[in-house]
Amino acid sequence: MSFREELNRQYAALGVSEQVIALGEEAERKCCGRFADIDRISDLNQMKVLQAFRENRVSEAHLMPSTGYGYNDIGRDTLEQVYASVFHTEDALVRSQLVSGTHALAIALSGNLRPGDEIMSPVGKPYDTLDEVIGIRPARGSLREYGVTYRQADLREDGSFDFDAIRNALTEKTRLVEIQRSKGYAARRTLSVAEIGELISFIKSIRPDVICMVDNCYGEFVETSEPTDVGADLCVGSLIKNPGGGLAPIGGYIAGKAEYVENAAFRLTAPGLGKELGASLGASRLLYQGLFLSPSVTAAAEKGAVFAAQLFGDLGFHVSPGPEETRHDIIQAVDLKTPEFLKAFCCGIQSAAPVDSFVTPEPWDMPGYSDPVIMAAGAFVSGASIELSADGPMRPPYTAFFQGGLTYAHARTGILMALQKMVDASPDLFSSLQ
Ligand SMILES: *Cc1c(COP(=O)(O)O)cnc(C)c1O
């Protein structure tokens, strides 16, 4: 059997037709140049991570578990120093006790804010799950209940910063500015590290004493620098996204100025205890190994996103970012126009999952989100969106937020299976689009 015959046979086993294969091959050919750029960035980040391991003399003893209080857990402490080296910060808190990105953000916020302080977002409304953390939507235990207020400056229509609005939103009370790098579920652009740097310079020129904190979720290792390289005081993210490299089974990180990291640690454990407690149990080895793999896993996911943008863009769907645009996170938004297409897309991604390929995703009211959300994920680590996954709120324009893929080959296959499900759901898809 020729390679081509073998390939078509494998695709057929996955339910992908020759028409969809041909579209995929055409899209992939157009992506070569951008794939090479992504590899170059990944190479630099791999060296940066390796050097952080060397600098901190990571050794076999660091991979061992600790139990109980976790006093003198050198594996945990050294991992935090490795993160501090990668992010060029004074310190970092990297813990399996941080149960998610939202939790890490909530700890960073509540550890550093006091009654009477105000949070300001200069980039519009933050990620949905922070609504209840901050108290934008009333919630028990929100920062609002503790007397912390919130204010925001929206981006301008063209996605640029509204510097006048930002200046006006910086008040006497502002203690912390929350900058979200990735678009999340919003229809805006993701910010580049350079843009975040500009924004921080502007804010510090008015209020040098405010804490500039970046929600770095999905952004790690997509560029060669991180927000902490351009003035961010704190950078926060989830280990079941980019920096966990697909191996971290749980966790979050908070990297930044020692004082602010310590404030967060006093909130995570208890005042007076801080970073000294917190057993790593068996997680350290996977957190080290995941960080080490993260630059190449992130690159694989980003290539999948570029491929999806090219394929769906060529078919006439609105995609954000566009296939040629420079990327600052691993998320790809595709406006699928109808609830049927969004469901079919998610079904395709689900059936391409290594785990739970046989289940059918349905929209549900997810805690922390205001519209029903449909999610496709069959991950080795539950909910890990560095693994191939897609989700979208069931509201117009029925945008699928597609992300992840531990390998590019898997991401590409999943995307083709998603397109195939759409074709199956609406056989006249191609004629109606072209
Ligand atoms: C994923 C994400 C979070 C945190 O989400 P969790 O599901 O709690 O990890 C926060 N902000 C952004 C921009 C994100 O993408």
Side-chain angles (χ1 to χ4, degrees), residues 164-181:
D164 290 334
I166 293 168
R167 187 184 289 106
N168 290 336
L170 286 167
T171 71
E172 295 282 275
K173 296 175 68 186
T174 312
R175 174 67 185 138
L176 183 145
V177 170
E178 211 260 353
I179 302 166
Q180 184 180 309
R181 177 173 175 179

Side-chain angles (χ1 to χ4, degrees), residues 103-117:
H103 187 210
L105 289 158
I107 290 289
L109 290 171
S110 55
N112 282 288
L113 292 160
R114 298 292 179 269
D117 287 346

Side-chain angles (χ1 to χ4, degrees), residues 135-392:
I136 297 170
R137 264 189 296 141
R140 267 187 291 165
S142 69
L143 284 160
R144 199 196 160 90
E145 284 196 347
Y146 287 89
V148 174
T149 53
Y150 169 78
R151 199 181 276 262
Q152 76 186 38
D154 287 326
L155 292 168
R156 293 208 302 225
E157 211 136 286
D158 64 357
S160 62
F161 301 129
D162 188 338
F163 288 109
D164 290 334
I166 293 168
R167 187 184 289 106
N168 290 336
L170 286 167
T171 71
E172 295 282 275
K173 296 175 68 186
T174 312
R175 174 67 185 138
L176 183 145
V177 170
E178 211 260 353
I179 302 166
Q180 184 180 309
R181 177 173 175 179
S182 171
K183 66 167 89 69
Y185 281 162
R188 66 149 164 102
R189 283 177 324 110
T190 287
L191 305 176
S192 69
V193 171
E195 287 172 304
I196 290 171
E198 244 177 79
L199 183 57
I200 292 174
S201 303
F202 178 75
I203 289 160
K204 297 262 178 182
S205 75
I206 299 168
R207 287 285 313 277
D209 56 323
V210 304
I211 302 170
C212 289
M213 172 178 130
V214 175
D215 173 354
N216 205 28
C217 282
Y218 288 129
E220 299 89 353
F221 301 127
V222 173
E223 298 186 49
T224 54
S225 58
E226 298 293 337
T228 42
D229 293 313
V230 295
D233 300 303
L234 278 175
C235 207
V236 181
S238 163
L239 300 194
I240 62 170
K241 295 180 180 171
N242 309 15
L247 290 184
I250 189 169
Y253 77 90
I254 299 169
K257 296 238 164 82
E259 181 192 346
Y260 305 144
V261 170
E262 193 153 63
N263 284 342
F266 287 137
R267 174 59 55 154
L268 174 65
T269 58
L273 303 183
K275 292 184 77 188
E276 285 182 52
L277 271 73
S280 58
L281 305 174
S284 288
R285 185 176 59 79
L286 291 170
L287 302 200
Y288 278 107
Q289 201 176 352
L291 175 64
F292 189 71
L293 289 182
S294 173
S296 66
V297 171
T298 301
E302 198 188 345
K303 286 180 191 172
V306 170
F307 173 74
Q310 187 72 55
L311 180 68
F312 282 89
D314 286 353
L315 287 169
F317 290 95
H318 179 260
V319 291
S320 173
E324 306 283 347
E325 262 177 81
T326 315
R327 280 162 196 267
H328 312 292
D329 67 13
I330 62 165
I331 301 182
Q332 180 62 47
V334 183
D335 293 349
L336 292 169
K337 300 178 189 170
T338 69
E340 290 74 29
F341 275 158
L342 178 54
K343 279 187 203 163
F345 183 95
C346 288
C347 284
I349 296 296
Q350 186 70 44
S351 70
V355 178
D356 289 340
S357 58
F358 48 86
V359 307
T360 305
E362 296 286 350
W364 63 300
D365 289 312
M366 214 185 139
Y369 296 85
S370 47
D371 291 285
V373 176
I374 184 163
M375 294 200 154
F380 295 102
V381 171
S382 177
S385 43
I386 187 61
E387 298 187 49
L388 186 69
S389 51
D391 36 64

